[in-house]
Amino acid sequence: EAYMPTKACNMKIYYGNGSVVQRDNCILPEIPNYLAFIAGDNGYTVINVPENPQDKTALVFKDSYGNAMVPFLTEHYGNIIVVDARYIDLDAVESFGDMNITDIIFLNNTSSMTKSWYQKYYKMVD
């Protein structure tokens, strides 16, 4: 079972190889298992929820455990930027600094919060 957002959203998925895919929802029921949530693991994803205030933006750092949680955020944010440090190397401040981020959320399983993960996140926001 999956929680289906009550508000319409659109999603742009940015893959590490440079390709970009646009979808009309953040849950893709045609894809099996946890990959249905935000199209699985990818470099980063930008979700827009036109019905919500556009001045409220969350930046989410996650591993695969965070995929299923992101759709819950569509009830509260106009924009959600989802970054998976395993699949992209970027400067988050440079890349998203002009997007008026109001909240930063970390969605990881506890065993992934090791020194190597911390270093990846720190590198993105330093």
Side-chain angles (χ1 to χ4, degrees):
E1 291 186 36
Y3 165 81
M4 297 302 286
T6 62
K7 298 177 181 177
C9 65
N10 57 65
M11 175 172 73
K12 277 190 179 178
I13 306 158
Y14 298 84
Y15 293 96
N17 64 7
S19 65
V20 179
V21 175
Q22 181 138 355
R23 302 306 280 268
D24 291 331
N25 203 336
C26 62
I27 296 181
L28 310 171
E30 70 274 12
I31 300 175
N33 63 42
Y34 81 100
L35 298 175
F37 302 101
I38 66 169
D41 298 329
N42 50 70
Y44 73 96
T45 302
V46 177
I47 300 169
N48 178 258
V49 185
E51 187 177 328
N52 289 345
Q54 295 300 297
D55 62 345
K56 195 160 184 191
T57 299
L59 174 58
V60 178
F61 291 104
K62 62 96 182 165
D63 62 9
S64 60
Y65 283 78
N67 293 354
M69 180 61 185
V70 171
F72 283 100
L73 301 176
T74 62
E75 297 299 314
H76 307 286
Y77 292 94
N79 298 288
I80 305 161
I81 303 162
V82 185
V83 176
D84 192 324
R86 299 171 300 167
Y87 298 101
I88 195 160
D89 184 22
L90 56 73
D91 180 328
V93 175
E94 183 179 301
S95 300
F96 311 120
D98 62 346
M99 296 189 79
N100 299 319
I101 295 167
T102 55
D103 297 294
I104 297 175
I105 302 167
F106 292 88
L107 296 173
N108 297 90
N109 93 58
T110 55
S111 64
S112 70
M113 293 310 296
T114 61
K115 185 176 180 180
S116 63
W117 270 92
Y118 171 83
Q119 289 171 336
K120 284 183 182 188
Y121 286 147
Y122 186 76
K123 182 181 175 188
M124 287 185 166
V125 297
D126 185 24

PDB file of all heavy atoms in Angstrom, residues 102-120:
ATOM      1  N   THR A 102      13.454  26.797   2.830  1.00  0.00           N
ATOM      2  CA  THR A 102      13.003  27.133   4.179  1.00  0.00           C
ATOM      3  C   THR A 102      13.314  26.036   5.189  1.00  0.00           C
ATOM      4  O   THR A 102      13.401  26.311   6.376  1.00  0.00           O
ATOM      5  CB  THR A 102      11.481  27.402   4.189  1.00  0.00           C
ATOM      6  OG1 THR A 102      10.792  26.283   3.629  1.00  0.00           O
ATOM      7  CG2 THR A 102      11.143  28.650   3.387  1.00  0.00           C
ATOM      8  N   ASP A 103      13.465  24.786   4.718  1.00  0.00           N
ATOM      9  CA  ASP A 103      13.730  23.666   5.612  1.00  0.00           C
ATOM     10  C   ASP A 103      14.700  22.693   4.952  1.00  0.00           C
ATOM     11  O   ASP A 103      14.635  22.477   3.741  1.00  0.00           O
ATOM     12  CB  ASP A 103      12.438  22.907   5.940  1.00  0.00           C
ATOM     13  CG  ASP A 103      11.442  23.782   6.675  1.00  0.00           C
ATOM     14  OD1 ASP A 103      11.733  24.167   7.818  1.00  0.00           O
ATOM     15  OD2 ASP A 103      10.372  24.076   6.105  1.00  0.00           O
ATOM     16  N   ILE A 104      15.567  22.110   5.764  1.00  0.00           N
ATOM     17  CA  ILE A 104      16.458  21.044   5.304  1.00  0.00           C
ATOM     18  C   ILE A 104      16.108  19.800   6.107  1.00  0.00           C
ATOM     19  O   ILE A 104      16.034  19.839   7.339  1.00  0.00           O
ATOM     20  CB  ILE A 104      17.941  21.410   5.490  1.00  0.00           C
ATOM     21  CG1 ILE A 104      18.276  22.634   4.636  1.00  0.00           C
ATOM     22  CG2 ILE A 104      18.837  20.228   5.119  1.00  0.00           C
ATOM     23  CD1 ILE A 104      19.687  23.152   4.831  1.00  0.00           C
ATOM     24  N   ILE A 105      15.870  18.692   5.386  1.00  0.00           N
ATOM     25  CA  ILE A 105      15.430  17.454   6.012  1.00  0.00           C
ATOM     26  C   ILE A 105      16.383  16.336   5.615  1.00  0.00           C
ATOM     27  O   ILE A 105      16.711  16.191   4.439  1.00  0.00           O
ATOM     28  CB  ILE A 105      13.992  17.106   5.560  1.00  0.00           C
ATOM     29  CG1 ILE A 105      13.036  18.256   5.907  1.00  0.00           C
ATOM     30  CG2 ILE A 105      13.526  15.782   6.163  1.00  0.00           C
ATOM     31  CD1 ILE A 105      11.677  18.159   5.239  1.00  0.00           C
ATOM     32  N   PHE A 106      16.815  15.535   6.584  1.00  0.00           N
ATOM     33  CA  PHE A 106      17.657  14.367   6.327  1.00  0.00           C
ATOM     34  C   PHE A 106      16.805  13.117   6.523  1.00  0.00           C
ATOM     35  O   PHE A 106      16.226  12.931   7.595  1.00  0.00           O
ATOM     36  CB  PHE A 106      18.863  14.335   7.271  1.00  0.00           C
ATOM     37  CG  PHE A 106      19.840  15.448   7.015  1.00  0.00           C
ATOM     38  CD1 PHE A 106      19.708  16.681   7.627  1.00  0.00           C
ATOM     39  CD2 PHE A 106      20.910  15.245   6.147  1.00  0.00           C
ATOM     40  CE1 PHE A 106      20.606  17.708   7.382  1.00  0.00           C
ATOM     41  CE2 PHE A 106      21.813  16.264   5.893  1.00  0.00           C
ATOM     42  CZ  PHE A 106      21.660  17.489   6.511  1.00  0.00           C
ATOM     43  N   LEU A 107      16.717  12.282   5.488  1.00  0.00           N
ATOM     44  CA  LEU A 107      15.941  11.045   5.547  1.00  0.00           C
ATOM     45  C   LEU A 107      16.859   9.882   5.182  1.00  0.00           C
ATOM     46  O   LEU A 107      17.017   9.560   4.012  1.00  0.00           O
ATOM     47  CB  LEU A 107      14.761  11.105   4.567  1.00  0.00           C
ATOM     48  CG  LEU A 107      13.700  12.160   4.831  1.00  0.00           C
ATOM     49  CD1 LEU A 107      12.692  12.213   3.682  1.00  0.00           C
ATOM     50  CD2 LEU A 107      12.990  11.878   6.141  1.00  0.00           C
ATOM     51  N   ASN A 108      17.467   9.297   6.185  1.00  0.00           N
ATOM     52  CA  ASN A 108      18.408   8.205   5.974  1.00  0.00           C
ATOM     53  C   ASN A 108      18.160   7.095   6.979  1.00  0.00           C
ATOM     54  O   ASN A 108      17.661   7.341   8.065  1.00  0.00           O
ATOM     55  CB  ASN A 108      19.849   8.686   6.169  1.00  0.00           C
ATOM     56  CG  ASN A 108      20.244   9.731   5.175  1.00  0.00           C
ATOM     57  OD1 ASN A 108      20.063  10.918   5.411  1.00  0.00           O
ATOM     58  ND2 ASN A 108      20.764   9.315   4.050  1.00  0.00           N
ATOM     59  N   ASN A 109      18.594   5.893   6.608  1.00  0.00           N
ATOM     60  CA  ASN A 109      18.577   4.842   7.615  1.00  0.00           C
ATOM     61  C   ASN A 109      19.760   5.103   8.547  1.00  0.00           C
ATOM     62  O   ASN A 109      20.746   5.741   8.159  1.00  0.00           O
ATOM     63  CB  ASN A 109      18.576   3.454   6.948  1.00  0.00           C
ATOM     64  CG  ASN A 109      19.933   2.847   6.755  1.00  0.00           C
ATOM     65  OD1 ASN A 109      20.673   2.654   7.706  1.00  0.00           O
ATOM     66  ND2 ASN A 109      20.264   2.522   5.515  1.00  0.00           N
ATOM     67  N   THR A 110      19.658   4.660   9.765  1.00  0.00           N
ATOM     68  CA  THR A 110      20.668   5.026  10.762  1.00  0.00           C
ATOM     69  C   THR A 110      22.059   4.496  10.452  1.00  0.00           C
ATOM     70  O   THR A 110      23.045   5.146  10.752  1.00  0.00           O
ATOM     71  CB  THR A 110      20.252   4.549  12.171  1.00  0.00           C
ATOM     72  OG1 THR A 110      20.005   3.142  12.124  1.00  0.00           O
ATOM     73  CG2 THR A 110      19.026   5.280  12.639  1.00  0.00           C
ATOM     74  N   SER A 111      22.155   3.345   9.819  1.00  0.00           N
ATOM     75  CA  SER A 111      23.489   2.803   9.551  1.00  0.00           C
ATOM     76  C   SER A 111      24.205   3.560   8.435  1.00  0.00           C
ATOM     77  O   SER A 111      25.417   3.443   8.295  1.00  0.00           O
ATOM     78  CB  SER A 111      23.419   1.312   9.205  1.00  0.00           C
ATOM     79  OG  SER A 111      22.700   1.125   8.011  1.00  0.00           O
ATOM     80  N   SER A 112      23.484   4.351   7.662  1.00  0.00           N
ATOM     81  CA  SER A 112      24.162   5.104   6.605  1.00  0.00           C
ATOM     82  C   SER A 112      24.740   6.426   7.105  1.00  0.00           C
ATOM     83  O   SER A 112      25.451   7.100   6.375  1.00  0.00           O
ATOM     84  CB  SER A 112      23.213   5.361   5.431  1.00  0.00           C
ATOM     85  OG  SER A 112      22.227   6.282   5.794  1.00  0.00           O
ATOM     86  N   MET A 113      24.424   6.793   8.322  1.00  0.00           N
ATOM     87  CA  MET A 113      24.951   8.041   8.857  1.00  0.00           C
ATOM     88  C   MET A 113      26.346   7.836   9.457  1.00  0.00           C
ATOM     89  O   MET A 113      26.598   8.093  10.617  1.00  0.00           O
ATOM     90  CB  MET A 113      23.983   8.640   9.879  1.00  0.00           C
ATOM     91  CG  MET A 113      22.675   9.097   9.245  1.00  0.00           C
ATOM     92  SD  MET A 113      22.865  10.137   7.776  1.00  0.00           S
ATOM     93  CE  MET A 113      23.656  11.574   8.439  1.00  0.00           C
ATOM     94  N   THR A 114      27.221   7.369   8.627  1.00  0.00           N
ATOM     95  CA  THR A 114      28.609   7.142   9.019  1.00  0.00           C
ATOM     96  C   THR A 114      29.443   8.362   8.666  1.00  0.00           C
ATOM     97  O   THR A 114      28.955   9.317   8.062  1.00  0.00           O
ATOM     98  CB  THR A 114      29.169   5.923   8.275  1.00  0.00           C
ATOM     99  OG1 THR A 114      29.119   6.208   6.869  1.00  0.00           O
ATOM    100  CG2 THR A 114      28.371   4.665   8.595  1.00  0.00           C
ATOM    101  N   LYS A 115      30.701   8.301   8.992  1.00  0.00           N
ATOM    102  CA  LYS A 115      31.593   9.413   8.692  1.00  0.00           C
ATOM    103  C   LYS A 115      31.643   9.698   7.190  1.00  0.00           C
ATOM    104  O   LYS A 115      31.662  10.855   6.772  1.00  0.00           O
ATOM    105  CB  LYS A 115      32.996   9.125   9.221  1.00  0.00           C
ATOM    106  CG  LYS A 115      33.938  10.280   9.053  1.00  0.00           C
ATOM    107  CD  LYS A 115      35.290   9.996   9.667  1.00  0.00           C
ATOM    108  CE  LYS A 115      36.191  11.196   9.474  1.00  0.00           C
ATOM    109  NZ  LYS A 115      37.516  10.977  10.054  1.00  0.00           N
ATOM    110  N   SER A 116      31.621   8.661   6.362  1.00  0.00           N
ATOM    111  CA  SER A 116      31.682   8.893   4.916  1.00  0.00           C
ATOM    112  C   SER A 116      30.436   9.631   4.421  1.00  0.00           C
ATOM    113  O   SER A 116      30.522  10.494   3.548  1.00  0.00           O
ATOM    114  CB  SER A 116      31.884   7.582   4.156  1.00  0.00           C
ATOM    115  OG  SER A 116      30.790   6.726   4.344  1.00  0.00           O
ATOM    116  N   TRP A 117      29.250   9.306   4.964  1.00  0.00           N
ATOM    117  CA  TRP A 117      28.038  10.021   4.583  1.00  0.00           C
ATOM    118  C   TRP A 117      28.106  11.452   5.068  1.00  0.00           C
ATOM    119  O   TRP A 117      27.772  12.381   4.344  1.00  0.00           O
ATOM    120  CB  TRP A 117      26.804   9.341   5.177  1.00  0.00           C
ATOM    121  CG  TRP A 117      26.251   8.312   4.279  1.00  0.00           C
ATOM    122  CD1 TRP A 117      26.553   6.991   4.266  1.00  0.00           C
ATOM    123  CD2 TRP A 117      25.315   8.512   3.227  1.00  0.00           C
ATOM    124  NE1 TRP A 117      25.854   6.354   3.281  1.00  0.00           N
ATOM    125  CE2 TRP A 117      25.085   7.257   2.627  1.00  0.00           C
ATOM    126  CE3 TRP A 117      24.645   9.621   2.738  1.00  0.00           C
ATOM    127  CZ2 TRP A 117      24.206   7.095   1.563  1.00  0.00           C
ATOM    128  CZ3 TRP A 117      23.762   9.461   1.686  1.00  0.00           C
ATOM    129  CH2 TRP A 117      23.568   8.209   1.111  1.00  0.00           C
ATOM    130  N   TYR A 118      28.508  11.627   6.299  1.00  0.00           N
ATOM    131  CA  TYR A 118      28.621  12.967   6.851  1.00  0.00           C
ATOM    132  C   TYR A 118      29.526  13.815   5.974  1.00  0.00           C
ATOM    133  O   TYR A 118      29.229  14.961   5.666  1.00  0.00           O
ATOM    134  CB  TYR A 118      29.155  12.898   8.282  1.00  0.00           C
ATOM    135  CG  TYR A 118      29.503  14.244   8.860  1.00  0.00           C
ATOM    136  CD1 TYR A 118      28.534  15.060   9.429  1.00  0.00           C
ATOM    137  CD2 TYR A 118      30.810  14.712   8.810  1.00  0.00           C
ATOM    138  CE1 TYR A 118      28.859  16.295   9.939  1.00  0.00           C
ATOM    139  CE2 TYR A 118      31.146  15.952   9.327  1.00  0.00           C
ATOM    140  CZ  TYR A 118      30.168  16.737   9.886  1.00  0.00           C
ATOM    141  OH  TYR A 118      30.485  17.972  10.385  1.00  0.00           O
ATOM    142  N   GLN A 119      30.625  13.249   5.528  1.00  0.00           N
ATOM    143  CA  GLN A 119      31.568  13.989   4.683  1.00  0.00           C
ATOM    144  C   GLN A 119      30.940  14.361   3.346  1.00  0.00           C
ATOM    145  O   GLN A 119      31.174  15.453   2.828  1.00  0.00           O
ATOM    146  CB  GLN A 119      32.851  13.181   4.474  1.00  0.00           C
ATOM    147  CG  GLN A 119      33.690  13.107   5.732  1.00  0.00           C
ATOM    148  CD  GLN A 119      34.857  12.130   5.625  1.00  0.00           C
ATOM    149  OE1 GLN A 119      34.824  11.200   4.836  1.00  0.00           O
ATOM    150  NE2 GLN A 119      35.881  12.366   6.430  1.00  0.00           N
ATOM    151  N   LYS A 120      30.147  13.466   2.755  1.00  0.00           N
ATOM    152  CA  LYS A 120      29.459  13.786   1.496  1.00  0.00           C
ATOM    153  C   LYS A 120      28.493  14.950   1.693  1.00  0.00           C
ATOM    154  O   LYS A 120      28.441  15.877   0.880  1.00  0.00           O
ATOM    155  CB  LYS A 120      28.689  12.571   0.978  1.00  0.00           C
ATOM    156  CG  LYS A 120      29.553  11.521   0.351  1.00  0.00           C
ATOM    157  CD  LYS A 120      28.680  10.410  -0.185  1.00  0.00           C
ATOM    158  CE  LYS A 120      29.564   9.327  -0.771  1.00  0.00           C
ATOM    159  NZ  LYS A 120      28.788   8.312  -1.476  1.00  0.00           N
TER     160      LYS A 120
END
